[in-house]
Amino acid sequence: MAVSRHAAALFWAHGVAATSGDDIAAAAGISTRTVWRYFRSKESCVEPLLAASAYRFMTALRRWPLSSSFEDFLTAELPDSPPTSQDLLDDIASMRIISLVRDEPALRASWLMVCGQAEQAFAPIIARRLDLPADDFRVCLSAATVTAAVRVVNEEISIGAVAGARTYTIDDVITQLGQAIRISSNEPICDPKARRPLL
């Protein structure tokens, strides 16, 4: 994670092309050989940083009760689980990197790798809400489309916020995520799930 933070800072300060594996190693205080032992490319060094934010989001969604809508749950959950100061710094660094991915193909590949991991983590959450196995076609399709929608929202918000074109509140983010997920999936995963009557 420390390597990832250094790589993100260097990419943002100097650009991806101007940053080498040697630069990342020197900033992290390790050998270049160690960098290549753990990362397949210099761009992949940012994956742990990007994944940390996605992991926190998925961890929250695992607590999402069936009786609550997506929007109501996040509105209640986020103030009760505030990010740490390090989480906030990591989120800012992540947004900066995400704002670059449309112009940096290799960096985008790393971002898509993280999104692929998020898709796998989303499937059991969706399966629970649909009362289906995690490998059911409907669940897999929803996980793929919903993750793509969340990715697009993340990119739009990151680009807008980093460029200073727009300020987003928590309510703005929740609304955009909810709308994107509802539009992208034909399944009612964002809605409260009615309790089954007792027999």
Side-chain angles (χ1 to χ4, degrees):
M1 191 63 173
V3 173
S4 194
R5 288 173 179 140
H6 285 296
L10 288 168
F11 289 162
W12 182 250
H14 306 295
V16 178
T19 300
S20 67
D22 291 337
D23 295 331
I24 295 170
I30 59 176
S31 70
T32 304
R33 184 176 178 180
T34 300
V35 171
W36 300 138
R37 184 179 304 144
Y38 291 101
F39 299 98
R40 65 188 179 281
S41 67
K42 66 180 182 180
E43 292 84 4
S44 71
C45 290
V46 298
E47 289 175 19
L49 178 72
L50 297 174
S53 179
Y55 177 78
R56 290 199 311 276
F57 183 58
M58 291 303 166
T59 298
L61 289 183
R62 289 189 190 102
R63 297 190 292 270
W64 180 12
L66 296 177
S67 59
S68 177
S69 72
F70 175 83
E71 295 86 353
D72 288 346
F73 168 68
L74 286 185
T75 299
E77 171 73 12
L78 294 181
D80 288 343
S81 303
T84 66
S85 57
Q86 184 62 63
D87 290 340
L88 288 172
L89 291 173
D90 289 345
D91 286 346
I92 291 169
S94 293
M95 290 178 73
R96 287 174 172 170
I97 293 301
I98 293 169
S99 75
L100 300 175
V101 300
R102 291 185 180 175
D103 298 320
E104 296 284 350
L107 203 58
R108 183 169 187 79
S110 290
W111 169 228
L112 292 176
M113 288 285 289
V114 171
C115 292
Q117 295 167 5
E119 180 182 326
Q120 293 178 347
F122 225 142
I125 295 165
I126 293 172
R128 179 171 172 263
R129 299 198 72 79
L130 297 179
D131 198 18
L132 291 170
D135 61 353
D136 183 90
F137 175 78
R138 287 168 56 192
V139 172
C140 295
L141 184 60
S142 285
T145 58
V146 164
T147 303
V150 171
R151 175 182 59 77
V152 171
V153 170
N154 270 322
E155 290 174 10
E156 289 297 320
I157 289 175
S158 295
I159 290 169
V162 168
R166 180 172 173 188
T167 300
Y168 293 88
T169 66
I170 292 294
D171 288 342
D172 292 334
V173 173
I174 292 171
T175 298
Q176 285 203 24
L177 285 172
Q179 289 175 345
I181 292 172
R182 289 174 186 279
I183 290 169
S184 66
S185 176
N186 287 328
E187 305 293 345
I189 58 176
C190 286
D191 298 325
K193 187 174 174 63
R195 290 187 177 182
R196 292 179 177 176
L198 296 175
L199 300 178

